[in-house]
C-alpha cells in the first residue's frame, strides 16, 4: 500500500503532518517541569473538546479499550449490575469486558444497525426500584455499523426514571468528530483514544470523570493498578505520571487539541457532517443501503455500506488494498462479509473523500457489481459544490 494515499478505515485515521512532527520528540526528563508544560495544557485541551468544566481528564498509555477498563475498574465492585445494549462489535466488546470483570450485565440486544434504545432503558430503570443498576453503558458511535446513538436521550431516560446510576459513554469514534457534551448530557465517564478524532497515532486512552464518578472511586472494589486514577491524579499533581509517560504522544495531544480548537469544534463537526453527507449521496447513487436503519442514526464518522446478498463484502476491502493501495474497513462480527466501511473521520477534506469514493467505484466495478463509474463521485461533487457555496455565503 502506498503511504501517499489517505486511509478510509474508521481509525487509526490520517495523521496531519504537524501532529506527526509534534509526536516525534527527543527524550526529555519526564520528571522535569518541562513535562508539566506539555501535560497540563493537553489535559485542559481535552476538557474543552469533551465540553466539560466540572470533569477531570486522565490520559493513560493504552488505547480506547484501556479507557473502558479504566472506567469500570475505578468505579465498580464485583457483582455490580450494569445496563448495556449490544448493537455492534464495540458495544459487544465492552459488555464482554464487564463480564470478564465479574460484573452482572443486563444486555438489551438490538439488531445491528439500530441504536441505543433510550425508551427501553427508561422502562428497565423505572422498574429497578431498588437501584441495583450501578452503571448504564452507551456506545455513542457504533463503529462497526456506522450508527450514532442519542446520548441526551439516554440521560433523559435516567432522569425520567429518577435513577442514580452512572452514565458511561464510549465516545472513541465520536469525540472530536461530532458533538459531544459531557457536562450537559450528564456523562459520568467519557472514553476515547488518540487515534480517531484526535488524529494521532494509537497509544493513548483518554477518559473524562465527572465529580460523581470520582466519588464512586472511593468505594469501588475491582482490582486496579496500572489504571488506578488515584495514582494518576497524584502523578499529575507533581507534574508527572506514576510510571513513564508517553511524552511524544502527549505533546501531540496538546497540539491536536490546539488544532481542533483553532478550527473551532462546531466547524470540525460541520466538516465531518458535510463530508459524511457526500459519502451518503454517493452510496445512494450506487443504489446501495447503509447498515444504519434510519437517517437519525447515520454516523458522521463512518458509513457501513451493505453489499448485495451473496456477495462477499470483504473482497472490496482486499481488492482496494491490492489494486489501488487504499484501505477501507471490513465488516465485523454479525455483519462480517455483509458490509464494507468507509471511515470519514479525523483529518479529512472533501477532496480526500472524493478520492475514496472514486476508488470504491473502481473496486466495485472491477468486482462486477452494478456500479456506474462516476455516479457516486458526481453525487458527492454536487453536494460538496453546493455546500462549499453555502459556506462561502455564510462566511
Ligand atoms: C476503535 C474503537 C474502540 C477501541 O479502541 P482501541 O483504541 O482499538 O482499543 C472502542 N470503541 C469504539 C466505538 C471504537 O470505534
Amino acid at each position: 500500500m502506498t503511504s501517499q494515499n489517505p486511509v478510509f478505515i474508521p481509525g487509526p485515521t490520517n495523521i496531519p503532518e504537524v501532529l506527526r512532527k509534534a509526536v516525534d520528540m527527543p527524550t526529555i526528563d519526564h520528571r522535569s517541569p518541562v513535562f508539566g508544560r506539555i501535560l497540563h495544557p493537553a489535559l485542559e485541551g481535552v476538557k474543552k473538546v469533551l465540553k466539560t468544566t466540572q470533569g477531570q481528564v486522565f490520559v493513560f498509555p493504552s488505547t480506547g479499550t484501556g479507557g473502558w477498563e479504566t472506567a469500570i475498574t475505578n468505579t465498580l465492585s464485583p457483582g455490580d449490575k450494569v445496563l448495556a445494549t449490544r448493537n455492534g462489535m464495540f458495544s459487544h466488546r465492552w459488555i464482554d469486558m464487564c463480564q470478564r470483570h465479574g460484573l452482572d450485565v443486563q444486555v438489551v440486544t438490538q439488531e445491528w444497525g439500530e441504536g441505543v434504545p433510550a425508551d427501553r432503558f427508561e422502562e428497565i430503570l423505572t422498574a429497578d426500584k431498588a437501584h441495583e443498576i450501578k452503571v448504564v453503558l452507551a456506545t455513542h458511535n457504533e463503529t462497526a455499523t456506522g450508527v450514532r446513538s442519542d446520548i441526551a436521550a439516554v440521560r433523559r431516560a435516567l432522569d425520567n426514571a429518577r435513577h442514580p446510576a452512572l452514565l458511561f459513554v464510549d465516545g472513541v469514534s465520536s469525540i472530536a468528530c461530532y458533538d459531544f457534551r459531557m457536562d450537559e448530557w450528564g456523562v459520568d465517564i467519557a472514553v476515547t483514544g488518540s487515534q480517531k478524532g484526535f488524529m494521532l497515532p494509537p497509544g493513548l486512552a483518554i477518559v473524562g470523570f465527572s465529580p460523581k464518578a470520582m466519588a464512586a472511586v472511593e468505594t469501588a472494589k475491582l482490582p486496579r493498578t496500572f489504571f488506578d486514577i488515584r495514582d494518576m491524579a497524584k502523578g499529575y499533581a507533581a507534574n508527572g505520571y506514576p510510571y513513564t509517560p508517553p511524552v511524544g504522544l502527549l505533546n501531540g495531544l496538546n497540539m491536536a487539541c490546539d488544532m481542533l480548537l483553532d478550527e473551532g469544534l462546531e466547524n470540525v463537526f460541520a466538516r465531518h457532517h458535510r463530508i459524511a453527507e457526500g459519502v451518503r449521496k454517493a452510496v445512494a447513487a450506487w443504489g446501495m443501503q447503509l447498515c444504519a436503519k434510519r437517517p437519525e442514526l447515520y454516523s458522521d464518522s463512518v458509513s457501513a455500506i451493505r453489499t448485495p446478498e451473496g456477495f462477499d463484502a470483504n473482497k472490496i476491502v482486499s481488492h482496494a488494498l491490492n489494486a489501488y493501495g487504499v484501505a477501507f474497513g471490513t465488516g465485523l462480527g454479525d455483519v462480517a462479509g455483509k458490509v464494507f466501511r468507509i471511515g470519514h473521520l479525523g483529518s479529512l477534506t472533501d477532496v480526500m473523500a472524493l478520492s475514496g469514493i472514486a476508488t470504491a467505484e473502481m473496486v466495485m466495478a472491477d468486482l462486477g457489481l452494478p456500479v456506474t463509474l462516476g455516479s457516486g463521485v458526481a453525487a458527492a461533487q454536487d453536494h460538496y459544490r453546493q455546500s462549499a457555496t453555502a459556506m462561502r455565503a455564510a462566511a
Side-chain angles (χ1 to χ4, degrees):
M1 187 172 101
T2 159
S3 56
Q4 287 292 306
N5 289 331
V7 293
F8 296 96
I9 46 177
T13 59
N14 300 293
I15 308 174
E17 197 62 21
V18 281
L19 293 187
R20 286 177 56 188
K21 288 186 169 145
V23 168
D24 182 4
M25 270 184 73
T27 301
I28 61 157
D29 177 1
H30 60 275
R31 298 187 197 280
S32 74
V34 177
F35 178 62
R37 293 201 287 273
I38 295 170
L39 172 70
H40 294 295
L43 299 174
E44 286 307 308
V46 171
K47 280 172 72 171
K48 292 194 182 108
V49 174
L50 296 179
K51 296 189 178 171
T52 184
T53 52
Q54 297 158 19
Q56 289 191 48
V57 167
F58 300 96
V59 180
F60 291 89
S62 184
T63 68
T65 305
W68 290 339
E69 190 152 334
T70 302
I72 63 180
T73 57
N74 278 283
T75 55
L76 295 171
S77 301
D80 274 354
K81 202 160 173 185
V82 173
L83 176 62
T85 306
R86 185 184 345 251
N87 65 331
M89 198 61 188
F90 292 93
S91 45
H92 166 75
R93 285 181 42 213
W94 204 6
I95 291 167
D96 174 58
M97 178 186 275
C98 288
Q99 290 168 337
R100 292 204 225 174
H101 277 87
L103 300 169
D104 174 13
V105 190
Q106 179 168 356
V107 180
V108 178
T109 303
Q110 286 281 78
E111 203 182 326
W112 288 32
E114 285 288 352
V116 176
D119 47 354
R120 185 78 192 99
F121 274 14
E122 185 172 330
E123 286 167 20
I124 293 168
L125 291 162
T126 305
D128 178 34
K129 298 285 180 226
H131 295 165
E132 281 174 0
I133 295 168
K134 298 291 176 235
V135 169
V136 173
L137 302 185
T139 301
H140 193 194
N141 188 78
E142 184 36 92
T143 318
T145 56
V147 164
R148 155 196 211 146
S149 286
D150 185 347
I151 301 303
V154 177
R155 166 46 62 196
R156 282 196 299 276
L158 279 151
D159 290 349
N160 292 344
R162 298 180 193 284
H163 200 292
L166 297 165
L167 173 59
F168 294 178
V169 177
D170 173 345
V172 180
S173 58
S174 59
I175 289 167
C177 304
Y178 58 77
D179 201 11
F180 186 89
R181 306 181 185 189
M182 183 165 170
D183 285 0
E184 188 181 319
W185 297 341
V187 173
D188 292 298
I189 301 187
V191 175
T192 187
S194 49
Q195 80 276 23
K196 295 188 185 173
F198 286 101
M199 309 170 284
L200 291 164
L204 299 177
I206 300 166
V207 280
F209 273 59
S210 74
K212 194 169 153 193
M214 293 300 296
V217 175
E218 298 313 317
T219 51
K221 295 198 176 56
L222 276 177
R224 57 204 189 262
T225 314
F226 187 84
F227 291 119
D228 196 322
I229 61 157
R230 293 168 302 185
D231 295 339
M232 196 51 103
K234 269 188 221 146
Y236 291 171
N239 287 331
Y241 259 50
Y243 32 72
T244 314
V247 178
L249 278 169
L250 287 161
N251 194 49
L253 182 61
N254 187 12
M255 184 72 80
C257 291
D258 281 353
M259 277 181 73
L260 290 163
L261 298 166
D262 281 351
E263 183 176 350
L265 288 179
E266 305 313 313
N267 295 330
V268 170
F269 305 152
R271 172 168 56 81
H272 277 79
H273 181 67
R274 178 163 175 269
I275 291 172
E277 275 290 304
V279 172
R280 291 191 280 262
K281 300 270 191 228
V283 172
W286 297 332
M288 296 169 95
Q289 305 278 325
L290 293 176
C291 181
K293 301 273 179 197
R294 293 177 299 284
E296 72 264 26
L297 298 171
Y298 292 170
S299 160
D300 282 343
S301 41
V302 55
S303 294
I305 300 152
R306 288 194 179 275
T307 50
E309 203 71 37
F311 178 87
D312 177 8
N314 288 332
K315 280 193 193 157
I316 293 176
V317 178
S318 53
H319 185 67
L321 198 62
N322 296 333
Y324 304 109
V326 170
F328 293 110
T330 55
L332 303 172
D334 284 8
V335 291
K338 297 181 181 154
V339 306
F340 76 103
R341 294 176 298 154
I342 301 182
H344 34 77
L345 71 167
S347 179
L348 210 67
T349 63
D350 43 11
V351 171
M352 290 158 88
L354 285 169
S355 73
I357 295 165
T359 308
E361 285 182 352
M362 293 195 285
V363 169
M364 290 191 283
D366 290 351
L367 296 173
L369 288 175
V371 164
T372 306
L373 285 182
S375 59
V377 171
Q381 284 170 324
D382 272 342
H383 175 69
Y384 295 146
R385 287 180 66 216
Q386 281 167 23
S387 52
T389 311
M391 271 193 326
R392 271 200 306 274

